[in-house]
Amino acid sequence: MTSVGRWLETCHIDRRDAEILLRESLGINRSKIITEPEALISSALETHLNDLAKSVRSGLPLAYAIGHWEFWGLTLKLNESTLIPRPDTELIVELSLARTPTSGTLLELGTGSGAIAIALSKTRPDICLTATDIVPLAVATAKENAKSHNVEIHFTQTDWFEGLNDIYDVIISNPPYVASDDPHLAALSHEPQTALVAGPEGLDDLRHIISQAPNYLRPTGQLLLEHGHDQGSAVRRLFAEAGFQNIETHRDLGDNERVTTGYIQ
Ligand SMILES: C[S@@+](CC[C@H](N)C(=O)[O-])C[C@H]1O[C@@H](n2cnc3c(N)ncnc32)[C@H](O)[C@@H]1O
C-alpha cells in the first residue's frame, strides 16, 4: 500500500497529469491531494494508477487515459475513434454562433466526439443541427455525448456529403488537414489517423468539402472551415474557385490563421 504523496513522488509523470489521475481514480478533489498526502491508496487502486501512469509515460494522451475531456466547458467521452477536441476549435464554434440565423439549419461534417455540434446546441438550442462522421464508433460516441448533455442533434454516418439531400443555412467542419508526411504526426500516433491526415498537402478533404458545399447551401448560406495555420491562402483560393463571396480567414488566440468563411449567392 502507498500514500497519495508517495505515489505522486514515484509515478514519474507530469505533476498536473498525476493529480488528474488521482482525482479520477480516487474520486477526490485537488485540495484533498494537497492537504492529505498521507491518505492511503489501496493496492488494487495503486496497480490501476501505475498502469495508467505507465501508459501516459509511453505517450498515451491523458484524455485517452481517463476517457473524457473538456471542450466549451462540457465533459465529453472519448475513445480511440475520436480526436481530442482542441481549445483552438472554440473559434469555429464562436463564428458559427454569430453566423447562424435564428432557428437556422446547420450541418457539421466530421463531428468526432460531437464536440462542436454539442457546444452549439447547448448554447443555441434553436439551431436545427445535423452532424456526420465516416467512423461508426465516432457517431456512436457523439450520440452518447449528446444524450448525456441532453441536446437534440441528428447524427448520420456518411462519407462527407454522400447520401445527404437537404440544404442548409450553414455548413461547418474541422476536417483532417495534416499533410501525410508532416513530422508532427509522430507525436499524434495515439489519435485516429482518419481524423488527422488528408493527402500530401493536407488539403484533400478541405478541397472536397469546399467544392461540394455549394450544392448543399441555401442562397446566402455560409461555409466555415477550420484548417492548419499555414493553409489560409490555399483555402481562400479554393473558396474563390468554388464561387464563394466575402471570403475571410479568422485568427485564433495564438494569432494563427485558423478558420476560413464565405457565403454563396
Ligand atoms: C479533425 S477531426 C474533428 C473532430 C471534431 N469535429 C473536433 O473538432 O474535435 C476530423 C473528423 O472528420 C472525420 N472524417 C474523416 N474523413 C471523413 C469523411 N470522409 N467523411 C466524414 N467524416 C470524416 C474523422 O473521423 C474525424 O472525426
Side-chain angles (χ1 to χ4, degrees):
M1 227 187 234
T2 188
S3 68
V4 163
R6 178 90 190 112
W7 189 79
L8 278 171
E9 278 166 23
T10 55
C11 64
H12 303 299
I13 58 171
D14 176 83
R15 165 83 191 205
R16 187 184 136 271
D17 291 359
E19 286 184 4
I20 291 174
L21 291 184
L22 277 172
R23 274 158 42 195
E24 290 287 323
S25 304
L26 307 182
I28 56 175
N29 60 27
R30 183 154 190 263
S31 72
K32 190 153 171 135
I33 293 172
I34 292 161
T35 57
E36 295 180 32
E38 70 289 353
L40 290 176
I41 299 174
S42 73
S43 303
L45 273 175
E46 184 186 354
T47 306
H48 174 66
L49 279 163
N50 287 342
D51 288 346
L52 289 175
K54 191 172 166 200
S55 302
V56 170
R57 276 199 303 277
S58 71
L60 184 73
L62 190 68
Y64 291 132
I66 61 175
H68 58 86
W69 207 238
E70 291 262 317
F71 178 78
W72 200 258
L74 305 164
T75 302
L76 299 167
K77 186 181 157 183
L78 297 178
N79 52 49
E80 68 281 4
S81 292
T82 54
L83 190 86
I84 302 165
R86 310 297 206 262
D88 290 345
T89 295
E90 293 200 351
L91 177 61
I92 198 169
V93 176
E94 286 162 10
L95 292 165
S96 305
L97 288 171
R99 283 151 190 261
T100 309
T102 305
S103 304
T105 52
L106 184 147
L107 169 67
E108 190 212 350
L109 299 166
T111 196
S113 63
I116 297 174
I118 295 168
L120 288 172
S121 192
K122 261 320 228 194
T123 316
R124 286 270 310 275
D126 62 287
I127 300 175
C128 178
L129 270 149
T130 301
T132 73
D133 206 286
I134 197 168
V135 177
L137 184 55
V139 176
T141 310
K143 276 185 184 169
E144 209 179 307
N145 281 326
K147 193 169 174 205
S148 70
H149 287 292
N150 205 19
V151 291
E152 250 187 63
I153 297 167
H154 174 65
F155 289 102
T156 307
Q157 188 220 326
T158 188
D159 182 353
W160 299 135
F161 294 96
E162 216 173 272
L164 300 181
N165 298 312
D166 289 333
I167 55 167
Y168 301 88
D169 293 307
V170 177
I171 298 177
I172 66 172
S173 184
N174 170 20
Y177 53 72
V178 182
S180 40
D181 64 350
D182 189 317
H184 296 102
L185 280 173
L188 302 169
S189 63
H190 290 275
E191 301 205 56
Q193 301 301 291
T194 22
L196 294 168
V197 184
E201 301 160 300
L203 290 170
D204 286 7
D205 291 311
L206 286 158
R207 189 181 291 114
H208 179 76
I209 293 170
I210 296 165
S211 69
Q212 294 298 308
N215 302 325
Y216 298 87
L217 281 169
R218 279 184 218 296
T220 76
Q222 307 212 27
L223 176 65
L224 294 81
L225 294 179
E226 181 173 321
H227 50 73
H229 64 89
D230 53 355
Q231 292 172 327
S233 65
V235 172
R236 286 191 293 278
R237 183 173 38 77
L238 291 169
F239 267 63
E241 282 168 12
F244 284 91
Q245 311 279 316
N246 269 32
I247 303 160
E248 288 176 273
T249 300
H250 307 259
R251 290 175 182 267
D252 63 17
L253 292 175
D255 205 27
N256 297 307
E257 289 196 329
R258 195 38 86 129
V259 176
T260 294
T261 59
Y263 76 86
I264 212 80
Q265 274 180 327

